[in-house]
Amino acid sequence: MDNLNELAINGGSKAKTVPFGSGNRFAGNELKYLQEALAQNTLFYGNGRFVRQACDMMKAYTGRPYAVACSSGSAAIHLGLIAAGIGPGDEVIVTPNTDSGSILGIIEEGAVPIFCDVDWTLQPTAASVAARITDRTRAVEVIHLAGNPAPVDEIVELCRPKGIAVVEDCAQSWGTKLHGRQVGSFGTAGCFSTNDFKHISTGDGGFVVLSDEALCRRVHNYADKHYDRFFGREQAQAHHGINYRMSELQGAVACAQLEVVDAITSRQHVLGELLRMLVENIPGAQMVKPVPDAYCTYWWTVIYIEPDRFSVSRDEIVKALVAEGFSGTNYGKYDLIGKPLFQKRIVRPWLTGDKAMYPFVQPDGRSYTYSHAQTPVHKQTLERGIMVTFNSFHTEQDMEEVADAFRKVLSAYAV
Ligand SMILES: *Cc1c(COP(=O)(O)O)cnc(C)c1O
């Protein structure tokens, strides 16, 4: 007989007894719509119907009157920042526990990312944003991380009287609600990603949702070489724009994925809530708590380990969990501040001097440096967190066995 308490890392049997649930995420109308898109004899969004239809679905999904499709989530956020009116030398406040796609539009515009701290919910707070506001702050980018909403309503309330725009990064927060409202409907712009690692996928793609027609025209034109295609062409090539267009192929898949997004996100909500209940009884482990009145869709979550209660480090605990068949990872790398871009500040290595370091070094001599001392709670979350990833094919048994792995490993190492 196996000793069930013997850790797998020491030769015992694994807590995970069956493979994680899996399935075909493109099992709906994807193929049908792709065939219909090809039958249109055009894959250009301006001539076909699918990108247009996907935009209509995004309007209904977020309750906003305008939607623009684009080539990626990073592009969507860049466009959201264009809606916010950021320009060279402006400061944009953003949290550091995110994908680089959250900040590349800031740098592209010659603006400066300013990292604010998070609290133990992993989200910014109105106070942590307020602490970083200066007379150069032009926008706050609120990232709703991991299917948890940030307190964007409080941040909008802080920023509006100061004339500071709020842009929402909803790449990880399909279906996520705050006070019953889909996130992406609070700020100047809501920005979504459909890259392959999100709740829904079109391979690559993104959407921006807005409430203002003039801003929609600005964003649309910026994303399509300033052709002014849907607006009478009065302003064709009047100004700069780039090519962030979505093709009909992605649009077709987007329509099919948006038909099933609610089923996916409500399933991830159920799995996440189940894991929360299971982890509650494990001494020394604490799952990230959401902000009040949140509906979470758990693209992933973090379980914090209380450092004083165990005889080994968090990293050793992760190794033992992986040996048990756990699919999660160390949260310690989910951080932009520590990346070479922010430590060395060489943005364009083929240029020299201050040009290579622009926008971290501004033409007026301002120089911005980055350190974890600016975000002390974020630093602690990196030290204590273990990341648990989800997908909607996971089963209740998967969640139970993940919790079993935590219980087994943490009790073996408890002091
Ligand atoms: C994925 C992601 C992005 C970027 O999306 P892409 O489609 O990969 O460009 C931006 N922000 C966050 C928080 C993300 O998770």
Side-chain angles (χ1 to χ4, degrees), residues 306-385:
E306 286 177 43
D308 304 339
R309 298 178 66 147
F310 303 101
S311 59
V312 298
S313 69
R314 184 268 318 262
D315 295 9
E316 296 298 319
I317 290 171
V318 173
K319 270 189 212 151
L321 286 168
V322 169
E324 297 293 337
F326 171 68
S327 66
T329 52
N330 194 323
Y331 178 65
K333 292 201 178 68
Y334 211 72
D335 168 53
L336 290 179
I337 293 174
K339 296 286 189 296
L341 175 63
F342 287 95
Q343 290 304 307
K344 300 203 162 66
R345 301 186 303 151
I346 309 295
V347 178
R348 295 172 177 86
W350 54 91
L351 302 179
T352 53
D354 285 357
K355 270 191 185 175
M357 300 182 83
Y358 178 78
F360 298 133
V361 175
Q362 288 285 318
D364 63 8
R366 269 182 290 150
S367 175
Y368 291 84
T369 56
Y370 296 88
S371 123
H372 285 124
Q374 296 157 344
T375 55
V377 180
H378 166 60
K379 181 166 180 281
Q380 289 182 66
T381 66
L382 294 175
E383 291 161 358
R384 293 193 193 177

Side-chain angles (χ1 to χ4, degrees), residues 72-74 77 98-99 101-102 143 169 171-172 193 195 198 205 299:
S72 71
S74 306
I77 294 158
T98 187
D99 181 78
S102 298
I143 301 162
D169 177 344
Q172 303 186 1
S193 169
N195 94 10
K198 312 302 187 200
W299 189 52

Side-chain angles (χ1 to χ4, degrees), residues 88-92 133-139 164 362 364 366 368:
D90 290 341
E91 295 176 357
V92 179
I133 291 178
T134 72
D135 55 4
R136 307 227 181 228
T137 307
R138 187 64 183 260
I164 298 169
Q362 288 285 318
D364 63 8
R366 269 182 290 150
Y368 291 84

